[in-house]
Amino acid sequence: MLNIDNLHAYYGKSHVLHGVNLEIGQGEIVALLGRNGSGRSTTAKAIMGLVDCEGRIGWKGQDILGRKAYEIAHLGIGYVPENRDIFPTLTVHQNLMLGQKGKGQGSRWSFDDMYGMFPRLRERQHTEAGVLSGGEQQMLTLCRTLMGDPDLIIIDEPTEGLAPKIVELVGEYLKTLKAKGISVLLIEQKLTIAMTISDRALVMGHGSIVFQGTPESLRADAYVRKEWLEV
Ligand SMILES: Nc1ncnc2c1ncn2[C@@H]1O[C@H](COP(=O)(O)OP(=O)(O)O)[C@@H](O)[C@H]1O
Ligand SMILES: [Mg+2]
């Protein structure tokens, strides 16, 4: 579904991604792991058309490199950035409405699906999103992106700074996506949540992919973990 070949990305003169290759099949959950600064978020931004890049990014057979972010979103790629950007003065429900593409007809997902997954959001549906806790804002961002009915969702460090209970909820969300056949690119620092849910794990270091394999093979590879993941 998604095929990235020899991707290079730049911030001005600073060359950050050095020939990244990455594939995600339909319904596949791929973890993209690495330390801070390794280039994971830049890879996500490159897919979404938010950073200067070269190479090829194929999506359902078309080359999307150079397209605008909203066009890429409309082609079925959802993006949950690392900064949980909700609309703080709108209610939870209004935030979800803004995530809908068109009028939401024919979408795989309803408001009830979101509130069923995260009952806390149902309780707070008429509350301004700006007063929610960090965990609730993360749930809301995850749900808002899902309301756009993406075929692939890119999620950047969804569990960063969250309590274990909320991390579990994020795990449930990922299982729901998997059950519906949505592809996922899950960006995390370490194996943790990615371990239980991902089909494949990639590790980035200094803007390149330095490991590819199953989560089990990564767990077994002490060298890669020590060199590229553990602090
Ligand atoms: N907006 C930016 N301008 C310049 N350099 C950036 C910018 N964002 C990230 N970088 C640099 O690009 C590299 C990769 O960063 P990033 O993709 O955010 O890593 P990660 O998400 O894996 O922590 C780092 O060296 C970082 O300092
Ligand atoms: Mg990042």
Side-chain angles (χ1 to χ4, degrees):
M1 262 192 138
L2 183 79
N3 293 282
I4 299 181
D5 295 315
N6 195 26
L7 181 68
H8 291 258
Y10 306 85
Y11 294 106
K13 282 188 181 149
S14 160
H15 187 176
V16 168
L17 296 185
H18 304 271
V20 169
N21 299 303
L22 189 164
E23 284 190 15
I24 304 178
Q26 175 151 20
E28 204 180 15
I29 301 195
V30 175
L32 184 60
L33 309 171
R35 291 203 181 101
N36 274 333
S38 58
R40 298 159 302 151
S41 295
T42 303
T43 303
K45 288 185 223 166
I47 296 167
M48 295 314 294
L50 297 170
V51 59
D52 282 339
C53 46
E54 288 167 4
R56 187 177 172 276
I57 304 177
W59 169 245
K60 295 179 182 170
Q62 24 179 341
D63 195 340
I64 58 166
L65 197 152
R67 302 274 188 111
K68 300 254 184 327
Y70 71 85
E71 292 177 285
I72 295 168
H74 271 267
L75 290 171
I77 305 184
Y79 174 42
V80 181
E82 51 189 340
N83 54 2
R84 293 171 202 165
D85 74 81
I86 43 122
F87 298 96
T89 61
L90 300 182
T91 66
V92 165
H93 199 77
Q94 287 168 333
N95 267 273
L96 291 180
M97 286 170 68
L98 279 174
Q100 285 183 308
K101 252 190 279 167
K103 288 205 170 83
Q105 281 136 346
S107 169
R108 270 167 283 215
W109 307 100
S110 66
F111 291 99
D112 255 353
D113 291 330
M114 303 302 120
Y115 294 143
M117 248 187 304
F118 299 124
R120 188 70 186 143
L121 291 184
R122 188 195 301 276
E123 287 165 25
R124 312 210 78 185
Q125 60 181 295
H126 303 302
T127 304
E128 280 191 5
V131 306
L132 301 181
S133 70
E136 290 164 351
Q137 291 190 359
Q138 182 65 75
M139 295 175 210
L140 180 56
T141 321
L142 291 167
C143 288
R144 192 185 66 210
T145 303
L146 208 47
M147 289 302 280
D149 201 21
D151 298 315
L152 164 69
I153 186 164
I154 301 169
I155 314 179
D156 199 346
E157 300 211 47
T159 64
E160 174 67 14
L162 298 183
K165 271 216 166 132
I166 313 277
V167 173
E168 258 174 54
L169 284 176
V170 174
E172 291 304 313
Y173 169 95
L174 292 167
K175 279 184 200 152
T176 307
L177 298 193
K178 193 177 175 83
K180 283 231 185 171
I182 316 285
S183 308
V184 180
L185 180 62
L186 174 63
I187 296 176
E188 287 280 357
Q189 278 197 43
K190 295 189 206 144
L191 269 169
T192 52
I193 184 175
M195 180 73 202
T196 53
I197 197 85
S198 301
D199 301 303
R200 273 189 301 129
L202 307 182
V203 178
M204 277 198 111
H206 306 315
S208 303
I209 304 287
V210 295
F211 172 92
Q212 273 208 66
T214 61
E216 294 73 27
S217 64
L218 178 53
R219 184 167 266 183
D221 194 328
Y223 173 78
V224 168
R225 282 192 287 107
K226 184 160 186 295
E227 196 71 11
W228 300 107
L229 293 179
E230 283 150 20
V231 192

